[in-house]
Amino acid sequence: MRLLTSPLRRMLSGLLNCCEREGGRPSKCCSLNPHHLLPRQNFSAKPTAAELVRYWHGVFEANRIPEAQESSEYIISYVLGAKTIHSLSASSLSNPLTSEQQQQVQWLSMKRLQRMPVQYVLGEWDFRELTLKMRPPVFIPRPETEDLVSLVLQKSQRSGSPAVNAGHRCPTAIPHPVILEIGCGSGAIALSLLNKLPQSRVIAVDKEEAAVNLTCENAQRLQLQDRIRILHYDACSGSWEQLLPWGPVDTIVSNPPYVFHEDMAHLAEEILSYEDLDALDGGNDGMRVIKKILALAPFILKDLGSVFLEVDPRHPEMVENWLQSHPELSLSISATHKDFCGKPRFLHIQKHKAGDSSNKKDFACPSVHLP
Ligand SMILES: C[S@@+](CC[C@H](N)C(=O)[O-])C[C@H]1O[C@@H](n2cnc3c(N)ncnc32)[C@H](O)[C@@H]1O
């Protein structure tokens, strides 16, 4: 398997990372300049990989394509069957490409010139240790979401581990955790959890058929299909009973749409032109889907079960206030974690033990078809 190290991938996919998702910097949209498309200087009849990297880097820069160097390196190394240019041997870099390989480089580079994200151009991308198929418009997993998975793993492995803790067996051991992912996209979170937790089962749901299909495809490719249920389900309108094929769940995890609607227009051209905007747009306060997930949680979680959410840095305080004004949900934030940029990005919310708070049956949210 062709692997990228995490820091490298974080650097290279900065274009689509959390900072960009917050809509800080409007992207410059470029129009293709035919004079910039095919400059012929320093270009031999039988170009080598190194020459092609230089050539397409120049073309991308001339056309103001972001991450010009990385884009060109990714495309050429992909065509040569490698993940990165640095993993190619000196002889691979200095050998001329076949005419088929040159054509493939040209074909993929033309897509990048149309501002297609490199993940869609290649049709695959790494998330943690998995290589996942990518297809527009299904959301491309972002590097920070790897840390959301790590938090769920830390919790599951801690509570699920048979390890002895200070001389005592962990009292909350869950030998076969059941995890629900809401908004699975390509399956990045769900499949990473299954891969690392061999005793677990995951229910992965998404309101988009394209996402459901891609998660199915990725599950099959990774041979993880036996422990996953993938459902076409809308958290804003579906009934909570559908989420319980295996009974109450131990953990809910979600990287929901959380961009404030007013920030959507400032996202990069790559995102606006190719990704499903419903996967990002969280409504006026960025909490449209977050609130639905929290309203569903008490009905599907076991007592003391956990919800792990990726959110906008403005959300921890907003979610805290919202939960305080909805005590009937019996949920409270137990921890906020920062992302690799140092921003509060992940929430760990816990369901109270039965009897600790008001009775969940008193609460009725018509949009989630509660009993
Ligand atoms: C930010 S993407 C995350 C995708 C994937 N989990 C990841 O991290 O790469 C949000 C996902 O939630 C899905 N989604 C949006 N609203 C939803 C809803 N109401 N019910 C279920 N899924 C929803 C979108 O289709 C999209 O796939």
Side-chain angles (χ1 to χ4, degrees):
M1 190 182 294
R2 298 173 299 155
L3 281 179
L4 285 179
T5 61
S6 240
L8 179 64
R9 206 145 21 87
R10 282 172 180 179
M11 184 180 77
L12 296 180
S13 56
L15 178 68
L16 299 177
N17 75 8
C18 51
C19 311
E20 188 63 31
R21 252 209 281 183
E22 278 145 34
R25 163 174 60 87
S27 65
K28 274 193 220 128
C29 178
C30 76
S31 55
L32 289 186
N33 178 344
H35 297 297
H36 290 153
L37 205 54
L38 296 168
R40 305 297 300 182
Q41 72 272 21
N42 305 327
F43 196 76
S44 58
K46 289 191 170 179
T48 64
E51 282 175 327
L52 279 173
V53 167
R54 271 198 304 278
Y55 170 73
W56 282 106
H57 175 206
V59 175
F60 291 148
E61 272 207 326
N63 286 280
R64 297 203 207 146
I65 302 298
E67 299 180 335
Q69 174 76 19
E70 294 81 3
S71 298
S72 121
E73 287 184 2
Y74 264 120
I75 289 171
I76 282 110
S77 43
Y78 173 80
V79 168
L80 293 181
K83 286 274 183 198
T84 64
I85 211 76
H86 307 289
S87 60
L88 286 168
S89 64
S91 66
S92 308
L93 282 170
S94 54
N95 282 341
L97 270 70
T98 65
S99 55
E100 289 78 22
Q101 286 172 325
Q102 285 182 55
Q103 271 171 17
Q104 199 187 357
V105 168
Q106 166 111 4
W107 168 245
L108 298 177
S109 300
M110 294 305 283
K111 292 189 189 192
R112 184 69 192 109
L113 277 172
Q114 303 292 332
R115 298 290 293 260
M116 181 182 268
V118 78
Q119 293 86 343
Y120 289 151
V121 169
L122 306 183
E124 65 175 39
W125 198 244
D126 283 0
F127 183 84
R128 294 179 60 97
E129 49 283 295
L130 304 180
T131 300
L132 299 164
K133 227 170 136 62
M134 294 289 128
R135 194 163 51 224
V138 180
F139 185 85
I140 297 164
R142 307 308 205 253
E144 63 269 23
T145 305
E146 296 191 351
D147 292 342
L148 177 66
V149 173
S150 300
L151 290 173
V152 179
L153 287 175
Q154 277 163 24
K155 172 80 173 63
S156 307
Q157 284 163 341
R158 203 168 47 232
S159 54
S161 158
V164 172
N165 185 2
H168 302 287
R169 211 178 154 81
C170 177
T172 52
I174 312 166
H176 302 281
V178 177
I179 299 168
L180 165 67
E181 189 197 355
I182 299 183
C184 56
S186 61
I189 298 174
L191 298 171
S192 298
L193 291 171
L194 282 173
N195 184 49
K196 281 287 182 187
L197 298 171
Q199 306 295 326
S200 67
R201 285 173 294 166
V202 173
I203 305 138
V205 306
D206 203 288
K207 76 174 180 68
E208 295 301 329
E209 209 169 338
V212 169
N213 292 340
L214 192 56
T215 296
C216 285
E217 232 172 285
N218 279 322
Q220 297 273 352
R221 277 161 59 102
L222 296 165
Q223 302 278 295
L224 291 168
Q225 71 276 14
D226 293 343
R227 291 185 287 124
I228 189 168
R229 287 276 176 95
I230 304 163
L231 306 175
H232 190 199
Y233 175 90
D234 187 335
C236 296
S237 58
S239 81
W240 60 271
E241 289 97 333
Q242 285 175 263
L243 300 174
L244 303 177
W246 296 313
V249 308
D250 297 285
T251 302
I252 299 172
V253 59
S254 184
N255 171 21
Y258 62 72
V259 177
F260 286 56
H261 182 73
E262 64 182 12
D263 293 338
M264 289 293 294
H266 304 305
L267 296 176
E269 177 71 14
E270 275 79 358
I271 300 175
L272 292 174
S273 302
Y274 290 94
E275 287 191 291
D276 173 18
L277 298 184
D278 270 358
L280 291 133
D281 191 343
N284 290 341
D285 60 358
M287 294 215 342
R288 184 175 46 85
V289 180
I290 292 173
K291 287 174 191 166
K292 297 291 179 187
I293 294 170
L294 296 176
L296 282 166
F299 297 89
I300 39 189
L301 277 180
K302 293 178 187 168
D303 280 354
L304 297 177
S306 294
V307 184
F308 287 91
L309 294 177
E310 183 175 321
V311 296
D312 180 278
R314 288 164 282 183
H315 282 143
E317 200 184 333
M318 292 166 69
V319 170
E320 174 124 53
N321 291 339
W322 192 81
L323 287 177
Q324 275 170 8
S325 63
H326 291 85
E328 70 280 7
L329 295 179
S330 301
L331 297 171
S332 36
I333 296 182
S334 73
T336 300
H337 299 269
K338 292 184 175 163
D339 63 19
F340 52 77
C341 302
K343 296 186 176 181
R345 179 71 56 194
F346 310 108
L347 289 177
H348 177 195
I349 294 162
Q350 211 159 12
K351 181 179 167 181
H352 307 160
K353 208 164 173 224
D356 276 3
S357 187
S358 50
N359 190 335
K360 69 184 179 187
K361 286 185 191 128
D362 293 343
F363 174 65
C365 171
S367 60
V368 291
H369 303 318
L370 304 179

